[in-house]
Amino acid sequence: MATDLNLVSVFLAVAEAKSFRGAAERLGVTRSAVSQAIRRMEDRMGVALVQRTTRSVSLTEAGMQLHQRVAPAIAEIELALDTAQDRDAKPTGQLRLAVSSIAERFICGPLLASFTQAYPAVQIDITVTDEEFDIVAEGYDAGVRLGEVIEQDMIAVPVSGDQRQMVVAAPSYLARFGTPTHPTELAQHCCIGWRPAPDVAPYRWEFEEDGREFDVAVNPRITTNDMWVMVRTACAGGGLTFGMEETFRPYIEHGELVPLLEQYCPPFQSFFLYFADRRNLPPKLRALIDHARYRPPSGGRKR
């Protein structure tokens, strides 16, 4: 089936504005034109993409899946066009970024070091935070979070492959207290949990079994908002902890931690660098997007 990118653009506008009127205003066309474009796209695909009521518009499951796949691709196309138009402009100035504490690939060092070497006229100011807030209102150029928590009106570019969370423990802890074989057994163990702030309950540990998602309240004996406290305590045999696989990977490879319950820990959507405007990006942000964009290993599929 031939792809009509004009229809795709209308679909994305509707998905982000959550209304035909808002999409029409954004695109500079009539509301009727937006409605007709969506109808043509649905007819060509043979599936409903949008649920319409007298007061609201929402995406169907097929529409949500299409949006998740198409939006990053269109963002990359527009970024490539912008780069071609402004290829001679040199990136300069300060970039303010709000980055999740678990975005390991982005904040572990090599990516930022190589960027500053490639673009010495750009200064990066990073705030590591797990709070959810409006990055535009707070004066940030961009942020890095898991894709599932980014607002739909933001433009998002992948900066990592698929992720997954897992349970880990030190061999010394397992030798003393045994190895759990199912997530429901975690309540019998000493667990090290994470919370974003003192007045917020510790996060429940999330799993999947036979296609069904569920979570476990482990009642952690140790709770912190610092991932490195969790890692160091677990390595010392202080208990089981739960977090991103790529955070634990160096410790697993050195035998300091052992992954547990892996069959209940499926992969999920990756980290994205997200920002507000899709047009006229400053060269400094465009350079970071291109530098940080995730590229799958040669011969592998893009996730």
Side-chain angles (χ1 to χ4, degrees), residues 32-106:
S32 176
V34 170
S35 179
Q36 291 175 16
I38 293 297
R39 187 175 295 111
R40 287 200 305 273
M41 190 170 179
E42 291 177 325
D43 289 343
R44 294 182 66 178
M45 295 185 64
V47 64
L49 301 173
V50 174
Q51 293 176 329
R52 309 161 178 81
T53 69
T54 56
R55 294 187 177 183
S56 65
V57 172
S58 61
L59 299 182
T60 64
E61 182 178 358
M64 288 188 288
Q65 291 176 350
L66 180 63
H67 180 264
Q68 289 175 355
R69 297 290 298 275
V70 169
I74 293 297
E76 291 197 27
I77 291 172
E78 292 178 338
L79 178 62
L81 294 174
D82 285 343
T83 300
Q85 289 177 331
D86 199 18
R87 61 185 181 276
D88 294 329
K90 293 184 178 180
T92 61
Q94 185 184 67
L95 273 173
R96 295 192 68 221
L97 307 175
V99 182
S100 169
S101 67
I102 56 175
E104 179 69 15
R105 176 180 178 268
F106 198 90

Side-chain angles (χ1 to χ4, degrees), residues 247-263:
T247 299
F248 298 138
R249 182 56 54 194
Y251 304 91
I252 293 172
E253 292 174 351
H254 286 90
E256 297 176 82
L257 293 174
V258 176
L260 308 171
L261 306 173
E262 291 185 86
Q263 66 270 38

Side-chain angles (χ1 to χ4, degrees), residues 145-202:
R145 288 184 190 171
L146 288 171
E148 62 189 27
V149 296
I150 296 174
E151 295 294 334
Q152 284 194 352
D153 61 350
M154 291 287 174
I155 309 305
V157 176
V159 292
S160 77
D162 285 351
Q163 304 290 311
R164 71 168 176 165
Q165 293 182 295
M166 61 167 46
V167 182
V168 295
S172 60
Y173 176 90
L174 299 176
R176 284 181 293 154
F177 299 106
T179 301
T181 59
H182 192 275
T184 55
E185 299 174 15
L186 292 172
Q188 305 167 19
H189 287 265
C190 178
C191 293
I192 306 162
W194 185 85
R195 54 163 172 70
D199 57 348
V200 178

